[in-house]
Amino acid sequence: MRRSQKETDDAARVTHRRALLLGGAMTAMFAVLGARMRYLSVEQADRFKLLAEENRISIRLIPPARGLIQDRNGKLIAGNEQNYRVVITREDAGDVDAVLAKLAHVIPLTADDLERTAREMGRTSPFAPVTVADRLSWEDLSKVALNAPSLPGVSPEVGLSRLYPRDTDFAHVVGYVGPVSERDLEGLDSPDPLLTIPKFQIGKIGVERWLEDHLRGSAGTKRIEVNAVGRVMRELERQEGTPGADIRLTIDADVQNFAQARMGSESAATVVMDVTNGDILAIASSPSFDPNLFVRGISHTDYNALMEDDHRPLANKTVQGVYPPGSTFKMVTALAAIKEGIIDVNTTVRCPGHLEVGGRRFHCWKRAGHGAVNLEKSLAESCDVYYYDIAQKVGIDKIAEMGRILGLGIRHDIPMSAIAEGIMPNRAWKRERHNADWRIGDTINASIGQGYVLSSPLQLAVMTARLATGRAVVPRLVKSIDGRETEVAEAPDMGISLEALRKIRSGMHATMNTERGTAFSSRIVEPTLVWAGKTGTSQVRNISAAERARGVISNDQLPWNRRDHALFVGYAPYDAPRYAIAVIVEHGGGGSTAAAPMARDIMLSALSGGLPPLAAYPQSQRNRIASMLEDLPLRDAEGRVSGPSRA
Amino acid sequence: MSFLEYRVKYVPSGLKKVLYLNWPLVVLVTAVAAVGWLALYSIAGGRMDVWAGRQMQVFALGAVLMFIIAFVPIWFWRNLSLLAYLFGLALLLIVEFFGTVGMGAQRWIEIGGFRLQPSELMKVSLVMMLAAYYDWLDVKKVSRPLWVLIPAILTVIPTLFVLMQPNLGTALILLMIGGAVMLLAGVSWWYFAAVITGVVATIWAVFASRGTSWQLLHDYQFRRIDTFLDPTADPLGAGYNIIQAQIALGSGGWSGKGFMQGTQSRLNFLPEKHTDFIFTTLGEEFGFVGVFSILLLYALILVFCYVSALQNKDRFSSLLILGIAVNFFLYLAVNLSMVMGLAPVVGVPLPFLSYGGSAMLVLLVAFGLVQSAHIHRPR
């Protein structure tokens, strides 16, 4: 069938017309697309460019190196060590279990490690690296690096972590660091962005905590390019932060070490202070613990062992522990009485071995009595009746006032944790605290540092420094921050008559240097180092009338935790005071037998800047002292323990 | 019925056919494909072996096919139209029962490691079938109901198959292609007015059906429409594609970030960046200028098709070329509307640019037909 030419032409014309119509529609569509493209990439370009950058760029913080803590001579107390660890990124690993199983063949992994890793992975996003093993040796790290091709998602990393090279020596002073906890962040309006880094370590107690702001430094930042799943592609820009400030303490690491070693396994505390400027040369609490355990994450077993030890290694007895000061308090009572004009330096009191006050009989430690006692003798032989007598005349309020002047019952602000205020009781205090009237018996007890009076070894050291100088010395623990010396607090005159102070000092001198003195056996014979001090023995239990009737049981027969505390305060040299010391041995028995010898060794160590010179000891004691010193587990220059290993 | 109802005064034969090819079209198509290779090379981070290399191989294979088809007389292809149509339907049936399921839909069959999407092939087969039908049909009968019903059925059958896969985008494109060829053939406007009214009513019905027991679309299709209407409502889920695509396009600015400098695509923020969303990479790296150039290339391809079609006095050739042009236009219009956020996300590749063998091969086959019609046109 052949179509007519006209029909064909007509049909072609219709097709042409409609094709052009469609073409017009297509053109319109192109115009729409072009306009839309113009809108997106010309008009809105800036907005989308910004969005693309936001997509791409992620800002990560670089944790700064934490400031070092050094002793007064620059010896390292807290530093940072390179820490090799292995991390795994879920996104890259694929089959995490298989990779971990392979990794376990390369380096030793405990079931604990694996469980912790699995737990952490459940919490974090798939591209966040999770630490599998921490503190690896260099060899282990190399093994992981070598096997990297068969361990997808696993990468070795180097970071800094806190190290305390003199572990137990400074545990209570410096404290330790640990990961930021919810509690640390509470109450912070705008926390340092560093704190939001997972596992970022901050100071938890001690100097690490109280000087955290100085030690932390400020974060650096790096701008990194990330892909859609957040994986880091490359680093674009890096801005280093500022490392934390280095801190020098007033402590001499050698003296601190000696004090710690000398106290050994006793439950004891020592504070040595420079009386001229308040610098704390040593502040040691025993037994101690290894702060490195806390940085690494202490195990339950270790922690429970520390908690259950009846010698309380975690407690910082130097500032946190408060004890009845016992006879070491007598100087306060005497000075209060002199200041109020109740006695003068020559007043004598007769001691028959006891004193009846308000129908109660108060005993002197020496049942036979001391006879006629003046101020000097009362201190040297530690007569109690002398103080019962003067205390009831001067009254508790005046005694408390003098106590505060000398630094007892007030909080000394040094950057350590849980600093106790102690108790310097007076009438108002008892009314408020116990809602009871102050009774004369309370005064009698307080006069010899018993009853309500409680003070910390730091306070006793401050008291001794103030007695030795007559000025209100303020303790200082931080020598310099970032190279800038910290201010030495002004030590104004306390306004106590020089005559009275002299008498007190000569009494303390007599305590140590006269044969009847309670601490005669702990004297120093080296003429330039001769020292003065006062012993104290404080009861931790009440002696009942029945007990007294049976005769007081000697300390040796009591269980450890009911024995008396042994205390000693002293300063040296006597003519030109340099250091003051306070020692307490919990449940140590007598101050003269447990605390004074220990104090002498530590004081001599401070004076000589190392091992006590044997020449300073009385001839008869030198052999014994020499062998004792030899057995002490002291540290060498690097901080390692030499000599006999510790138990 | 004779092969030719027009007089072929002169048909080039042998190698002379090469001279009579529509060379501008060949060059334009190759140019667009070359831009595609560049983009694929860039997205792979400067690697040929990931996508670009394979895409070039597919293009080479397709080009060979195109030339073979071009050199075979158009009347031979016209006589194969019905066969091509039935073959396309058969493949659609096969994919319905044995096809590989991808993204929740049956879309392709694997033949020797090669993925064939029969719906792509169907688009060309449908154009051929309808062009052959109107070439055969007496022009006086074009608008008679019975003779309108036949091409309508021919269009609807494959559309239903594709819809069952389910692939809404391609189904709509098939409908539009069929409609376009019928329109070009001269079917009365009244039918179109009626159909458009019907479509509007249907759309209304579809939305009204949502959440009822007679729901007409899959949930994921409704969600796509939702996220199209407000992509920011679900920036990490369903709206992610659209938002990231627009960020990529917009952040290219006037002149782009430079070759291989696109952060959105190279850092994987862009989904499907090498297939359906390849245009966003181009927008990001070459900016408005680059994108505009590509639109220009596409427009030129259409213009040369038009010129060729309108010059051609053969009804089959004319309708075939126009139908293929419409098909080509629908590919790019739907794809570009999608990546620019003007239309919902439907799986339609960008012609000659998107990575993928099926669409590329089918398009080159279609352009082979266009060339054949051009070479063997009545003079």
Side-chain angles (χ1 to χ4, degrees):
Chain A
M1 177 180 88
R2 178 149 180 84
R3 291 179 186 162
S4 77
Q5 186 63 41
K6 185 177 176 301
E7 271 178 8
T8 316
D9 288 349
D10 281 350
R13 251 199 306 284
V14 170
T15 303
H16 285 194
R17 215 165 42 228
R18 294 196 171 180
L20 289 175
L21 210 71
L22 262 184
M26 288 181 190
T27 311
M29 186 67 203
F30 267 97
V32 167
L33 289 176
R36 174 70 177 173
M37 195 61 218
R38 209 189 94 82
Y39 170 79
L40 288 178
S41 67
V42 179
E43 280 169 39
Q44 297 281 307
D46 292 339
R47 185 165 77 91
F48 286 120
K49 272 179 189 162
L50 193 71
L51 287 173
E53 281 294 287
E54 278 176 10
N55 262 347
R56 171 173 86 101
I57 307 289
S58 171
I59 293 177
R60 301 268 165 101
L61 293 172
I62 312 171
R66 195 172 172 83
L68 307 179
I69 302 177
Q70 299 161 325
D71 87 333
R72 62 185 299 118
N73 300 314
K75 285 186 181 142
L76 192 65
I77 298 171
N80 303 309
E81 63 167 345
Q82 296 256 307
N83 174 15
Y84 303 117
R85 57 176 183 264
V86 168
V87 299
I88 185 165
T89 311
R90 191 147 45 106
E91 190 224 347
D92 302 336
D95 185 352
V96 174
D97 292 334
V99 173
L100 283 179
K102 254 191 253 172
L103 184 64
H105 287 294
V106 181
I107 54 169
L109 287 179
T110 63
D112 235 24
D113 288 336
L114 295 174
E115 193 205 325
R116 192 174 36 76
T117 307
R119 209 172 43 229
E120 205 128 306
M121 279 195 168
R123 281 203 304 261
T124 54
S125 73
F127 46 81
V130 170
T131 305
V132 182
D134 215 353
R135 291 172 193 280
L136 291 172
S137 65
W138 174 246
E139 287 95 283
D140 279 345
L141 192 81
S142 322
K143 276 191 220 159
V144 172
L146 209 66
N147 286 291
S150 65
L151 296 168
V154 173
S155 54
E157 272 193 4
V158 184
L160 289 178
S161 71
R162 204 61 161 163
L163 179 73
Y164 302 101
R166 292 163 185 273
D167 47 45
T168 50
D169 282 3
F170 287 91
H172 296 112
V173 185
V174 166
Y176 48 82
V177 297
V180 182
S181 69
E182 291 293 322
R183 257 180 57 206
D184 295 326
L185 291 172
E186 262 171 34
L188 291 176
D189 285 339
S190 50
D192 186 333
L194 273 173
L195 299 184
T196 61
I197 296 178
K199 297 215 162 165
F200 184 74
Q201 304 224 300
I202 61 165
K204 291 294 184 178
I205 64 164
V207 171
E208 291 272 32
R209 169 161 181 202
W210 296 104
L211 297 180
E212 169 69 23
D213 290 348
H214 294 285
L215 289 166
R216 188 188 298 157
S218 62
T221 52
K222 54 181 175 183
R223 277 154 49 87
I224 49 172
E225 190 175 81
V226 295
N227 71 2
V229 286
R231 188 163 145 211
V232 179
M233 304 307 280
R234 63 189 163 132
E235 193 175 299
L236 300 172
E237 191 189 322
R238 193 183 178 93
Q239 200 166 27
E240 295 295 343
T242 37
D246 292 350
I247 287 176
R248 268 194 191 198
L249 301 180
T250 56
I251 295 178
D252 183 318
D254 292 336
V255 179
Q256 176 85 4
N257 175 229
F258 183 87
Q260 203 77 55
R262 178 63 183 82
M263 289 189 288
S265 58
E266 292 279 9
S267 181
T270 298
V271 177
V272 181
M273 239 174 94
D274 187 330
V275 300
T276 59
N277 56 10
D279 278 5
I280 294 171
L281 208 66
I283 181 160
S285 176
S286 170
S288 187
F289 62 94
D290 183 357
N292 292 307
L293 290 179
F294 284 83
V295 181
R296 285 163 203 176
I298 190 165
S299 71
H300 279 291
T301 334
D302 286 346
Y303 189 70
N304 287 340
L306 288 174
M307 288 301 284
E308 280 160 18
D309 191 331
D310 64 354
H311 283 38
R312 308 192 323 283
L314 291 176
N316 181 4
K317 290 159 192 148
T318 56
V319 297
Q320 188 180 354
V322 286
Y323 309 90
S327 299
T328 59
F329 187 73
K330 283 176 178 166
M331 288 81 87
V332 178
T333 311
L335 282 175
I338 292 170
K339 195 182 176 200
E340 295 305 312
I342 307 294
I343 57 167
D344 63 31
V345 294
N346 299 314
T347 304
T348 58
V349 170
R350 219 185 62 79
C351 167
H354 60 84
L355 187 68
E356 301 270 355
V357 181
R360 252 182 85 187
R361 176 175 282 204
F362 290 88
H363 290 271
C364 185
W365 67 270
K366 194 171 175 184
R367 300 324 264 308
H370 291 91
V373 179
N374 63 7
L375 177 57
E376 196 178 294
K377 188 179 172 189
S378 75
L379 285 170
E381 299 180 24
S382 206
C383 173
D384 293 336
V385 169
Y386 183 88
Y387 293 93
Y388 299 155
D389 185 63
I390 63 174
Q392 55 175 322
K393 291 172 187 160
V394 68
I396 187 63
D397 287 349
K398 296 297 175 188
I399 294 173
E401 202 176 288
M402 179 54 69
R404 270 180 236 288
I405 290 173
L406 289 169
L408 303 181
I410 56 173
R411 193 176 180 281
H412 296 291
D413 203 19
I414 56 172
M416 288 174 81
S417 292
I419 297 176
E421 200 173 276
I423 296 171
M424 197 62 256
N426 59 15
R427 288 169 199 280
W429 173 86
K430 191 175 178 190
R431 167 60 54 199
E432 192 187 315
R433 178 71 187 273
H434 294 284
N435 195 23
D437 286 328
W438 187 268
R439 293 188 307 187
I440 189 66
D442 295 331
T443 308
I444 300 298
N445 277 330
S447 71
I448 58 161
Q450 292 280 164
Y452 294 119
V453 187
L454 290 175
S455 54
S456 68
L458 176 67
Q459 289 171 331
L460 291 176
V462 170
M463 175 191 80
T464 311
R466 290 182 179 184
L467 288 172
T469 57
R471 290 181 298 112
V473 183
V474 176
R476 182 175 84 145
L477 184 62
V478 178
K479 186 168 165 57
S480 67
I481 295 176
D482 206 14
R484 280 190 308 278
E485 193 82 10
T486 50
E487 217 178 313
V488 175
E490 230 178 295
D493 193 276
M494 293 186 294
I496 299 170
S497 79
L498 192 61
E499 199 192 4
L501 281 172
R502 282 213 183 110
K503 213 63 183 175
I504 294 283
R505 288 173 198 154
S506 74
M508 292 170 75
H509 180 263
T511 304
M512 311 220 65
N513 297 294
T514 58
E515 268 184 66
R516 299 185 66 114
T518 52
F520 181 64
S521 62
S522 295
R523 68 195 178 278
I524 294 173
V525 297
E526 164 67 41
T528 55
L529 302 179
V530 166
W531 74 326
K534 181 76 194 80
T535 58
T537 303
S538 65
Q539 289 169 7
V540 291
R541 67 206 160 98
N542 288 317
I543 298 172
S544 64
E547 232 179 325
R548 199 175 296 283
R550 268 187 269 114
V552 176
I553 315 159
S554 84
N555 262 296
D556 301 341
Q557 289 162 299
L558 285 168
W560 177 77
N561 63 3
R562 297 195 61 199
R563 292 179 198 166
D564 297 340
H565 291 320
L567 293 99
F568 182 85
V569 299
Y571 64 91
Y574 175 63
D575 338 320
R578 183 67 210 275
Y579 298 122
I581 188 170
V583 170
I584 173 159
V585 182
E586 284 189 352
H587 312 297
S592 54
T593 51
M598 194 183 277
R600 174 173 62 176
D601 295 339
I602 295 168
M603 176 58 88
L604 283 170
S605 167
L607 288 167
S608 67
L611 269 185
L614 274 183
Y617 293 90
Q619 186 70 49
S620 61
Q621 300 174 4
R622 286 181 193 165
N623 284 340
R624 181 171 58 79
I625 297 288
S627 73
M628 185 272 294
L629 290 179
E630 225 163 79
D631 286 347
L632 284 185
L634 297 173
R635 285 171 201 278
D636 60 16
E638 275 82 54
R640 277 188 295 271
V641 175
S642 57
S645 61
R646 280 173 299 172
Chain B
M1 195 174 85
S2 66
F3 285 138
L4 286 172
E5 283 141 15
Y6 45 80
R7 284 176 60 212
V8 178
K9 285 176 186 159
Y10 174 71
V11 172
S13 61
L15 281 177
K16 274 189 186 164
K17 289 186 178 179
V18 175
L19 292 174
Y20 287 82
L21 273 171
N22 192 341
W23 277 109
L25 262 185
V26 176
V27 171
L28 283 168
V29 164
T30 312
V32 174
V35 172
W37 304 331
L38 275 183
L40 290 172
Y41 177 78
S42 165
I43 297 166
R47 287 176 60 184
M48 287 293 286
D49 56 335
V50 185
W51 293 306
R54 183 166 158 79
Q55 183 82 339
M56 287 162 100
Q57 286 169 10
V58 172
F59 183 81
L61 178 69
V64 170
L65 266 179
M66 179 175 81
F67 286 121
I68 292 172
I69 293 168
F71 295 151
V72 174
I74 188 66
W75 46 87
F76 175 78
W77 299 121
R78 185 192 60 183
N79 292 351
L80 283 185
S81 291
L82 183 61
L83 208 62
Y85 179 78
L86 292 176
F87 180 64
L89 277 189
L91 283 184
L92 276 179
L93 272 176
I94 291 172
V95 88
E96 191 65 36
F97 295 113
F98 307 106
T100 309
V101 174
M103 299 175 79
Q106 291 171 312
R107 301 237 170 118
W108 58 72
I109 27 180
E110 299 254 9
I111 305 170
F114 187 81
R115 279 176 180 176
L116 183 71
Q117 278 179 272
S119 55
E120 298 290 336
L121 190 65
M122 195 64 225
K123 291 177 190 169
V124 179
S125 299
L126 181 65
V127 173
M128 285 173 77
M129 182 67 228
L130 293 180
Y133 169 79
Y134 281 113
D135 184 42
W136 165 82
L137 187 69
D138 188 346
V139 290
K140 283 180 299 218
K141 297 178 184 166
V142 163
S143 285
R144 290 190 189 158
L146 176 68
W147 303 105
V148 172
L149 192 62
I150 291 170
I153 289 171
L154 288 175
T155 306
V156 166
I157 290 171
T159 304
L160 284 179
F161 281 156
V162 173
L163 205 53
M164 276 157 60
Q165 282 183 355
N167 184 348
L168 182 66
T170 308
L172 286 175
I173 287 180
L174 277 173
L175 265 188
M176 286 196 270
I177 289 171
V181 177
M182 288 166 75
L183 182 79
L184 289 164
V187 174
S188 168
W189 286 107
W190 288 111
Y191 291 102
F192 294 98
V195 168
I196 287 167
T197 315
V199 166
V200 170
T202 310
I203 288 174
W204 175 84
V206 162
F207 278 93
S209 78
R210 185 167 192 182
T212 64
S213 52
W214 49 282
Q215 188 162 308
L216 294 172
L217 290 182
H218 278 258
D219 279 339
Y220 84 93
Q221 287 164 326
F222 271 123
R223 275 200 301 276
R224 279 181 178 186
I225 295 169
D226 283 347
T227 54
F228 161 65
L229 295 174
D230 185 14
T232 51
D234 185 12
L236 289 178
Y240 182 83
N241 287 14
I242 292 176
I243 291 171
Q244 294 297 338
Q246 289 188 56
I247 289 176
L249 283 175
S251 63
W254 178 257
S255 57
K257 295 174 186 166
F259 183 52
M260 307 254 299
Q261 301 299 315
T263 55
Q264 285 285 99
S265 49
R266 283 162 55 69
L267 298 175
N268 268 330
F269 287 103
L270 281 175
E272 302 287 320
K273 58 193 189 244
H274 60 293
T275 57
D276 292 356
F277 280 81
I278 195 167
F279 191 72
T280 54
T281 308
L282 293 167
E284 189 182 17
E285 299 197 347
F286 302 110
F288 181 71
V289 175
V291 163
F292 193 80
S293 310
I294 291 164
L295 286 183
L296 206 65
L297 286 177
Y298 278 141
L300 280 175
I301 289 177
L302 288 171
V303 167
F304 278 96
C305 285
Y306 255 73
V307 170
S308 174
L310 298 184
Q311 279 176 357
N312 207 318
K313 294 196 188 74
D314 178 36
R315 190 166 164 79
F316 173 75
S317 297
S318 184
L319 287 175
L320 177 76
I321 297 173
L322 287 173
I324 286 169
V326 166
N327 180 16
F328 184 77
F329 172 79
L330 285 175
Y331 266 114
L332 68 95
V334 171
N335 180 280
L336 294 182
S337 305
M338 167 179 90
V339 299
M340 291 184 194
L342 293 172
V345 175
V346 288
V348 173
L350 192 57
F352 297 124
L353 284 176
S354 287
Y355 177 78
S358 241
M360 174 78 97
L361 281 179
V362 168
L363 274 165
L364 286 169
V365 164
F367 275 86
L369 292 171
V370 169
Q371 294 286 4
S372 171
H374 187 76
I375 294 169
H376 306 95
R377 68 183 184 273
R379 286 161 226 265

